[in-house]
Amino acid sequence: MIVGLGTLLNVTTIVVGAAIGVLIGNRLPERTNRVVTDALGLITIVLGGLNLVSLTDSDFVGAVGAGGTFLVVIGALLIGSIVGSLAGIERRLESFGGWLQDRLTRRGKGAASSTETAPARSSETADSLVDAPLTLTAREKFINGFVDASLVFAIGPLAILGAFQDGTGQGIDQLALKSTLDGFASIAFAASLGWGVAFSAIPVGIWQGLLTVLAFALGSVMSGAAIAALTATGGVLLLGVGLRLLNLRAVAVADMLPALIVAPLLTVGIAALLGN
């Protein structure tokens, strides 16, 4: 089995699914596209809630105690949010999405200037999001599709565990399952948000590729408790993505991504201090 094949499959299904979604979306009224996005938001919240069940995982509880699981997630989110905010991950991701949209839609000087007049949604406008109109400009739709799809496809246990499984030579079963799910999800996303969804394959490929290389170099190093901590923390982030999709609040989920690294580290550290 070729190492990295799972991530390559995942990237391909996202792009193909997005292409199908764009073709379908162009034939659907705006109201239908909005309903589809709302449905995806609700589903994402449900997935986040299911991941929170890991707070009661026996390995996790055994490592940090029954009350420690929630504290680990809180600590990871606080530390991760501070680090991510200072690093400007959300802003950089949105800027990259805007740069991609500019390169793809530039049709001479007039077209370029028209894209610059439409502001992208950013974390600074989060407080006014509830009052924002549901109709988005082409630029906003592209950036929202790119950012939101990137977060949905990159967050979650399958992205990390599947990459680890691939990197350690245990097969691509988990990434194959994730590829199938992401392919169908990208159809629904792209039907509403357009081509930005297809380009979410770039950060997904980089993220899972790095994890695969790390697993290949270091081997399987994640304990059951660390995996549960990562899953529960990812569940909270998915809830934030759901709020974004429902247009309730532009939660800066990307700025919280370092929490996915902090949570396993806190778990291992606390377990070592407690002698578990």
Side-chain angles (χ1 to χ4, degrees):
M1 184 71 68
I2 301 174
V3 173
L5 181 61
T7 295
L8 180 60
L9 176 63
N10 200 174
V11 167
T12 301
T13 57
I14 290 174
V15 174
V16 172
I20 295 174
V22 170
L23 293 176
I24 295 175
N26 289 336
R27 292 169 173 78
L28 297 177
E30 180 63 29
R31 178 177 176 81
T32 301
N33 289 337
R34 182 66 244 176
V35 172
V36 169
T37 304
D38 288 343
L40 285 171
L42 294 174
I43 293 171
T44 302
I45 289 177
V46 171
L47 291 176
L50 292 175
N51 283 353
L52 290 178
V53 176
S54 294
L55 288 169
T56 61
D57 180 84
S58 57
D59 290 335
F60 196 8
V61 172
V64 301
T69 57
F70 191 59
L71 293 177
V72 165
V73 173
I74 292 176
L77 287 169
L78 290 176
I79 297 172
S81 296
I82 293 172
V83 173
S85 179
L86 291 176
I89 298 176
E90 179 93 5
R91 174 175 51 80
R92 295 175 188 276
L93 193 59
E94 289 183 342
S95 297
F96 181 57
W99 179 84
L100 284 174
Q101 198 267 353
D102 286 342
R103 300 286 80 75
L104 292 170
T105 60
R106 181 168 293 171
R107 295 291 186 271
K109 185 175 179 180
S113 60
S114 65
T115 60
E116 292 171 359
T117 60
R121 187 180 73 184
S122 64
S123 56
E124 285 78 6
T125 62
D127 293 334
S128 62
L129 182 62
V130 175
D131 299 325
L134 294 181
T135 302
L136 302 176
T137 65
R139 180 181 176 83
E140 288 174 326
K141 286 180 66 174
F142 187 97
I143 294 176
N144 291 353
F146 172 73
V147 174
D148 291 348
S150 296
L151 292 172
V152 170
F153 297 152
I155 296 174
L158 283 180
I160 297 171
L161 298 181
F164 277 15
Q165 182 191 54
D166 190 3
T168 54
Q170 301 177 48
I172 62 170
D173 296 350
Q174 294 190 48
L175 283 183
L177 173 60
K178 180 178 183 294
S179 298
T180 303
L181 297 174
D182 289 354
F184 283 107
S186 63
I187 293 175
F189 270 121
S192 175
L193 297 174
W195 281 112
V197 176
F199 287 89
S200 68
I202 296 175
V204 170
I206 293 173
W207 168 241
Q208 290 182 183
L210 288 174
L211 291 176
T212 301
V213 172
L214 181 64
F216 180 77
L218 301 179
S220 182
V221 295
M222 295 280 284
S223 65
I227 292 173
L230 185 151
T231 302
T233 305
V236 177
L237 299 188
L238 284 175
L239 293 177
V241 176
L243 293 178
R244 292 173 64 106
L245 292 172
L246 291 173
N247 208 37
L248 296 177
R249 183 173 176 83
V251 180
V253 178
D255 283 344
M256 303 177 188
L257 288 177
L260 296 176
I261 299 174
V262 177
L265 294 178
L266 282 179
T267 301
V268 173
I270 294 174
L273 289 175
L274 297 177
N276 295 330

